[in-house]
Amino acid sequence: MGRGISLVRMILAGLLLAGAVFALAGCSPVEGPQMMQARGDQCVEPLEVIRRDHMKLLSHEKDQAVLFGVRNPNHSIRGCVECHVSPTASRDDPSSHFCLNCHSFNAVRMDCFQCHADKPANDYHFHALNPHGPGFGFDSAADSASLARDLESIIALETQKP
Amino acid sequence: MKAMTHFREIEGRSKGYYGLLVLLLFGIGLGLVAAALKGTYGHHITGMNNHVVWGLPHVFAIFLIVAASGALNVASIASVFGRKAYKPLAPLSGLLAITLLVGGLAVLVLDLGRPDRLIVAMTHYNFKSIFAWNIFLYTGFIAIVAVYLWFMMERRMNPHSTKVGYLAFIWRLILTTGTGSIFGFLVAREAYDAAILAPLFIALSFSLGLAVFLLVLMAAYNWTGRPLGDAILRRLKNLLGIFVAGVLYFVAVYHLTNLYATRLHGVEAFLLVHGGIYPFLFWFGQIALGSVLPLVLLFHPVWSRCRAVIAAACGLVILGGLAQLYVTIIGGQAYPLDLFPGHDVSSSFFDGVVAPYTPSAVEWMLGIGGVALALFMVTVAIKFLRFLPESLADDKVDPHHAAQAAAGAEPAKA
Amino acid sequence: MSHDSTPDLSRRRFITGAVGAVASLTVAPGIFLMQTNAQAGTKPGARWGLLINTNVCGDCNACVTACHKENGVGSMNRPTTDAQWIRKVNITDRATGHSRSLPVMCQHCEHPPCVDVCPTGASFRRADGIVLVNKHTCIGCRYCMMACPYKARSFIHEHLTDQVPHAPRGKGTVESCTLCVHRIDKGERTTACVEACHTEGNGAMVFGDLNDPNSEISRRLAEYGGAAIRADLGLNPGVRYQGL
Ligand code: SF4
Ligand code: SF4
């Protein structure tokens, strides 16, 4: 009795496998989705690394940044969005959003953009290797505006009687 | 005849049985729809807000969790305190303990802001958090009671069942303490800052668990037409009465000690006198309907012989328990936090005013879903496994009673 | 879709140039203007805090507006569920009738109850004293909101879009004042609320390192003192009030 059942199971499994092989063999290569062209000539890592391991880099970066304040603009999700998403991107037009587009094409669920901004901000925060970017360290360094603000409040503090 | 209890699955083919299943499935469906709605729209479709952060779902969830540990009492009385008469009831008691707990946890999980991150809760622990401890207490409870059930139902393991019974009993005491401590640790919330909450929750679990157990027992035996003797029922209802009185005692102590501390007069006045719905639920729901009336019903010399009266008393105890949890959980949050003692406070963030809260339909659906899930699992389990004795007639339960009855002597007292 | 993917070059060059110039500036002692090392992390030994002078703070909302603008916290016109990272609280002493108004936000407690109760460890305290919610591990149980004595936290009750890049926030998690951690990690030494208080308000707020005896905030605390809200709870918050 038990043998009979396992035999039936094996036959069924074999049939399924064969079906899958035939189905795959019948497929022509699928055309990839139309992707937005990145704003920049070079990615932060070699293509094969970033393609395979971007989630690991991001995950490492997320813990470092959130827990220890160690922010590496080259591996921040914000950096990805700056180059790969159009400032006028819309979720209804997948081709304007590199990340969402590829993820939906490959049916890989991610929830980054439930919290993270899904569009670049108005000021440009390119990563260090982007030739259009302001250079290494830009993201963790004070910019001119913040410098002015700091000085302003310090002067205000010094002149003010508590 | 030797007092050997025969357990048997219920028939489970009647229209009524399938009707019950359909009804419970509908209830579960309501809960799932509610969870899906919350997932889609977020919590703003519920009555909960930034000021009353735990609402009706938590009332239901904590009710079920507390009742779960209490439902195990009957088994504990049999195994830990060696009362033979309760032995035939032990499997059902263990079953209810598991299913109620699962129902309660389901509600709790589905009310999370990110239920999809349940795996995070399982892999990241903050051992300072009583909540994290509770995750272990709950899963451990389910495992221990499952082993206990197995030992009880598998004849070869029977001799060991008492040991596991002890373990389960101790574990359930810790578990209820843990549940009560969820509130006890909130130093800033005046209504919760009391050590007596832990024993209060244990007493509450005794009474709620037994009330649920009695109702399920009576329904199961009534609907399957199996005999259920008066003797066992009388014992159980007397026990329930004692537990209800116990809860009443702890509630009185809780409020009296609070009234002793001047700093807590504000919150006490709010919960007992002028807090709108909360004093009403307290005096009318918890005290009058949920404690005093059941006590009268359970100990009235004539009424308490009627099964419908006992069932009504159980139902009232359950309603009173829900009212009590509502007052404790929601009333405690509605009363404003005292940021600036001695000052009148106002802001756009509901500082210094009573926080508004009205439960929404979604929350009711979720809570009912949890109850339905628990009962559904019981209904299915007793069809496929041997949880219920064929007969709980007086002479089957208590041979001593049978002998007495044969000798023509009425048992003096249960 | 590359038609709108070319940012305007002149502006970018301008910014690049400006930062380059700043990088070579020498700065007054105690103030970090540039950190060329991007991987700095929290400042060793620091504890960031705020000092609020309630005698100066008046009927003004500048800090609240600035904070919510900075962090993209918007109202949904649902007062009970709308998030508020900072709020103005009006208090009147029942005995004397003396009234004041002061901002209340996360007090960045040294012994934060929110961190103690959080089951997953999502609520945590950074080495520099800033208490944050790690939204990657927050499950939205709201136990921290029950535990916080200052009502400092908000739960996000709805789906959000158009967050600002430096302040990620999303449905089903809890949030509160971050002490403008994105600015601090950049090396800035002020927060949006403090900045607005000085430019538009009454100059009642000071931000700084409580552990640095030479910082403005420490000097003021040493000279004039500063009370904690609900000091009786012993949480030693990093936000202090003068004239409370
Ligand atoms: S004020 Fe509240 S949220 Fe902020 S650290 Fe203290 S307990 Fe946590
Ligand atoms: S809501 Fe999030 S941060 Fe707060 S206690 Fe729960 S998991 Fe922790």
Side-chain angles (χ1 to χ4, degrees), chain A residues 39 71 88 132 140 147 149, chain C residues 4-5 33 185-186 195:
Chain A
R39 303 189 291 161
R71 299 186 187 240
T88 56
H132 309 303
S140 56
L147 172 68
R149 285 197 297 249
Chain C
D4 44 13
S5 61
L33 288 181
D185 284 352
K186 258 188 184 183
E195 189 182 294

Side-chain angles (χ1 to χ4, degrees), chain C residues 114 117-123 133 137-145 153 174:
Chain C
C114 58
V117 301
C118 175
T120 65
S123 283
V133 178
T137 45
C138 172
I139 54 174
C141 66
R142 284 104 81 208
Y143 195 16
C144 53
M145 298 175 72
R153 295 200 155 182
V174 165

Side-chain angles (χ1 to χ4, degrees), chain B residues 39 117 126 129 182 344 351, chain C residues 87 90 92 117-118 138 143 171:
Chain B
R117 289 205 184 137
N126 167 20
S129 167
I182 289 179
D344 287 328
D351 284 292
Chain C
R87 61 192 194 269
N90 302 311
T92 309
V117 301
C118 175
C138 172
Y143 195 16
K171 187 185 90 200

Side-chain angles (χ1 to χ4, degrees), chain B residues 21-47:
Chain B
L21 282 189
V22 168
L23 191 73
L24 293 175
L25 276 176
F26 179 71
I28 296 174
L30 283 184
L32 291 178
V33 168
L37 283 174
K38 266 190 212 183
T40 320
Y41 296 106
H43 273 65
H44 79 87
I45 58 168
T46 71

Side-chain angles (χ1 to χ4, degrees), chain C residues 97-167:
Chain C
H98 180 49
S99 286
R100 272 152 300 163
S101 170
L102 54 138
V104 176
M105 69 297 281
C106 171
Q107 307 283 300
H108 299 280
C109 312
E110 186 186 351
H111 311 289
C114 58
V115 173
D116 287 347
V117 301
C118 175
T120 65
S123 283
F124 71 104
R125 190 170 173 272
R126 288 206 329 176
D128 57 3
I130 302 180
V131 176
L132 294 174
V133 178
N134 183 350
K135 281 154 206 245
H136 302 109
T137 45
C138 172
I139 54 174
C141 66
R142 284 104 81 208
Y143 195 16
C144 53
M145 298 175 72
M146 292 285 276
C148 173
Y150 303 102
K151 268 182 84 165
R153 295 200 155 182
S154 296
F155 180 69
I156 305 184
H157 287 78
E158 57 273 298
H159 185 72
L160 295 182
T161 51
D162 292 326
Q163 294 92 334
V164 294
H166 57 249

